[in-house]
Amino acid sequence: MDELRKIERKKKRFAVRLKNSKKIICTDIPGLNIVLCNVGQATGFKKNDLLLMLEKITPTPIVLKFIAEKGDSHCFIVFSRIEEAKIFYDTYDGTLSGNSDVPLYMCFVESVPNNEIICSSSNPEGLTLIEEFITEDEEKQLYELFDWIDESNLKNRQVKHYGYEFRYGSNDVDLNQPLDEKIPQECEIIWKRLEDYGINFSIPDQLTVNKYSPGQGIPSHVDKHSPFGDTILSLSLNSSVVMDWKHHSKAYVPVVVPSRSLLVMQAEARYDWQHGIQPRTWDPIIEVRKIDNGLVKVITSETKARGTRISLTFRKTRQGRCNCCYETLCDSRATADLDEVASHLEDLHVHQVYEQIAGHFSSTRHKPWPKVVEFLQDIPPGSIVLDLGAGNGKNILNRNDLLQIACEYSAGLLSECRAVTRACCVRADVLHAPLCDGRADAVLCVAVIHHFSTYARRRQAIASIARLLRPGGRALVTVWAKDQSKSNYLCKDKENTESDTYKTAGIQLPVHQNRTQFKHNDVLVPWKLRKIKENKLENESSQTLLRYYHVFEEHELEELCRNQGVVVEKSFYEEGNWCVICQKI
């Protein structure tokens, strides 16, 4: 009796917590819904454990849903009939569950969480998933083929290249720099087996092998059209993973890629969809259900732990323009006008905006950034220091023994800079700074490069920095990070809803919600302009302007510096920014 009273007290306490946290009400009236109060995903309780319990009391149990949300030590069951729910309750409430020596206790509830996501879109046309493409012995042989000691590290995952190095920043290869190591002969079983499946393809000459530990992923991308042929092959070893497929029409399809399976990407899947893997230690269980006389994928609240996964991606290189019929993501269709469009976009949403907000912007920036002071603290007298994108000059040091040159494109901000610093102020574009090559001892480029809207222009900005530095000179470069979870930028009380979009310069871009986590790399960030009257900011904003940003993934800035004549000395995250200190070779 004491044990029963103890369980009842626990139930009452749990009912209060459940109501407060999830607005779900426990009830004494038997119904279809039951919550298991002390077992769930966090305790290792899985759907198979539930099915074993059900098999002992009914030969054909029908459970409509099993909901075990990540991190919770409770879970929910939805039965098809009240009679079955009551039998389950009467049989197991207060009893020991599995190997545990703690009694299981449960309650009927009026409702259950509905966090499932229905994916109505079909798999991309041209995407073929061949399960059990290789045997377990072949998987083991391939897994042991790759030695990961001292291999390159990209975004915290290890990577090896054969034939040609795949360049992640531009999603292509340099055909003028073939590698000595070619695709291992052990991979030839793939070509022979693919022929048996009747799939047309060219024998690949480039292989990228990635080793993903749990928690690692890769951003959504499309392999650039022009450098590669019409077939991409991806073989998975050792662990399954959920791969996200996204179309520019907003269609979204999660695809479960099991271990030992081969993913064949052709047609739309190759050219017109982006694919990626979310950086997490688990994946949701995805079920196929019949809804409205059709089969759809449902992302459930159940999860499965990831293991270490090896991915082998095979490509056939090619030269010349791409002649595909998929224009949206095609680099050949976009290249001719891309720089002109990018320049126009930056004029509208960087240059013109900063001219309008110069006074307000300057009033919010006062002290030099501590990392700038730290970077320049040991610079000797007589040194030449360039600040590219100096803004209002807040990072100009109060030192008369340095030649400091502040370069800024905005005339309004340059005027602010002249008013408060002794630096030599020059109106200049970072991409074409009219300064002598190889003279600067130090270069600052703080919060500038994220305003360039293409990969090529961001690379050109780094090249400009390298051009201006003397051999041995050093630069500090910072950009906004997509991940703001470790900064003070996020407002915990602000809900991150779906972004609005805004069409400008012929491009549809998402509009970011301030003080929330970034969802996209290329965004328009609102600035609520407040005018200055009598040296004071007005309380109310007069209008909202949109600034363009490319927010950076981890290691993306380092990748931008590769093969640019500089070596990265240090890379770090600071208050929502990715930063590098590099030195000219």
Side-chain angles (χ1 to χ4, degrees), residues 430-455:
V430 171
L431 300 185
H432 309 286
L435 301 171
C436 294
D437 296 357
R439 300 292 181 87
D441 297 284
V443 171
L444 301 176
C445 192
V446 176
V448 174
I449 293 179
H450 52 221
H451 286 310
F452 291 110
S453 56
T454 66
Y455 172 79

Side-chain angles (χ1 to χ4, degrees), residues 177-319:
Q177 296 186 5
L179 302 176
D180 293 334
E181 281 192 282
K182 307 305 178 185
I183 296 177
Q185 291 183 350
E186 288 84 349
C187 296
E188 292 181 3
I189 59 170
I190 299 172
W191 329 142
K192 298 174 183 178
R193 204 159 292 169
L194 265 179
E195 292 175 355
D196 296 337
Y197 280 92
I199 294 176
N200 294 321
F201 69 101
S202 299
I203 302 297
D205 59 359
Q206 194 279 330
L207 166 62
T208 300
V209 185
N210 279 284
K211 183 178 183 180
Y212 294 90
S213 296
Q216 297 173 349
I218 185 170
S220 291
H221 66 282
V222 63
D223 290 70
K224 188 176 284 187
H225 291 196
S226 60
F228 306 113
D230 58 7
T231 302
I232 306 289
L233 306 173
S234 178
L235 182 67
S236 294
L237 309 178
N238 200 59
S239 177
S240 66
V241 74
V242 172
M243 182 178 289
D244 294 327
W245 287 80
K246 298 177 182 180
H247 192 257
H248 47 82
S249 65
K250 304 299 183 182
Y252 164 71
V253 182
V255 176
V256 178
V257 183
S259 177
R260 298 188 297 281
S261 68
L262 183 74
L263 203 59
V264 183
M265 300 171 234
Q266 296 177 321
E268 283 190 12
R270 159 71 179 97
Y271 293 114
D272 211 32
W273 287 69
Q274 292 184 314
H275 59 280
I277 296 171
Q278 296 188 41
R280 56 194 180 198
T281 59
W282 52 274
D283 277 314
I285 301 296
I286 296 177
E287 298 179 350
V288 178
R289 298 180 189 164
K290 188 174 183 180
I291 299 178
D292 296 333
N293 298 320
L295 296 178
V296 298
K297 291 182 179 180
V298 178
I299 303 175
T300 72
S301 58
E302 296 179 68
T303 61
K304 177 183 179 182
R306 283 185 189 171
T308 298
R309 174 176 172 265
I310 305 294
S311 169
L312 283 67
T313 303
F314 300 92
R315 307 173 180 90
K316 174 65 177 176
T317 61
R318 62 180 297 279
Q319 298 186 61

Side-chain angles (χ1 to χ4, degrees), residues 325-345:
C325 60
Y326 305 99
E327 297 185 3
T328 302
L329 301 177
C330 184
D331 58 295
S332 293
R333 306 295 176 90
T335 300
D337 301 322
L338 185 59
D339 197 64
E340 182 179 344
V341 171
S343 180
H344 183 45
L345 173 66

Side-chain angles (χ1 to χ4, degrees), residues 287-458:
E287 298 179 350
V288 178
R289 298 180 189 164
K290 188 174 183 180
I291 299 178
D292 296 333
N293 298 320
L295 296 178
V296 298
K297 291 182 179 180
V298 178
I299 303 175
T300 72
S301 58
E302 296 179 68
T303 61
K304 177 183 179 182
R306 283 185 189 171
T308 298
R309 174 176 172 265
I310 305 294
S311 169
L312 283 67
T313 303
F314 300 92
R315 307 173 180 90
K316 174 65 177 176
T317 61
R318 62 180 297 279
Q319 298 186 61
R321 289 174 57 83
C322 174
N323 296 313
C324 74
C325 60
Y326 305 99
E327 297 185 3
T328 302
L329 301 177
C330 184
D331 58 295
S332 293
R333 306 295 176 90
T335 300
D337 301 322
L338 185 59
D339 197 64
E340 182 179 344
V341 171
S343 180
H344 183 45
L345 173 66
E346 292 160 19
D347 181 57
L348 291 175
H349 293 283
V350 180
H351 303 318
Q352 291 187 28
V353 171
Y354 275 106
E355 290 295 4
Q356 294 181 71
I357 70 173
H360 183 188
F361 181 86
S362 181
S363 70
T364 65
R365 271 72 176 168
H366 304 290
K367 298 180 180 179
W369 193 39
K371 288 296 179 182
V372 171
V373 177
E374 181 182 320
F375 173 70
L376 295 176
Q377 64 183 355
D378 296 325
I379 193 166
S383 296
I384 299 175
V385 179
L386 306 183
D387 190 347
L388 301 180
N392 68 346
K394 73 164 188 172
N395 288 317
I396 298 296
L397 300 184
N398 187 24
R399 285 180 59 176
N400 295 324
D401 58 350
L402 300 175
L403 174 56
Q404 299 183 81
I405 302 175
C407 297
E408 173 55 51
Y409 191 83
S410 165
L413 286 175
L414 198 64
S415 176
E416 298 279 345
C417 184
R418 285 195 182 100
V420 297
T421 73
R422 297 181 180 179
C424 176
C425 296
V426 178
R427 187 164 189 255
D429 181 352
V430 171
L431 300 185
H432 309 286
L435 301 171
C436 294
D437 296 357
R439 300 292 181 87
D441 297 284
V443 171
L444 301 176
C445 192
V446 176
V448 174
I449 293 179
H450 52 221
H451 286 310
F452 291 110
S453 56
T454 66
Y455 172 79
R457 291 168 73 81
R458 293 188 288 272

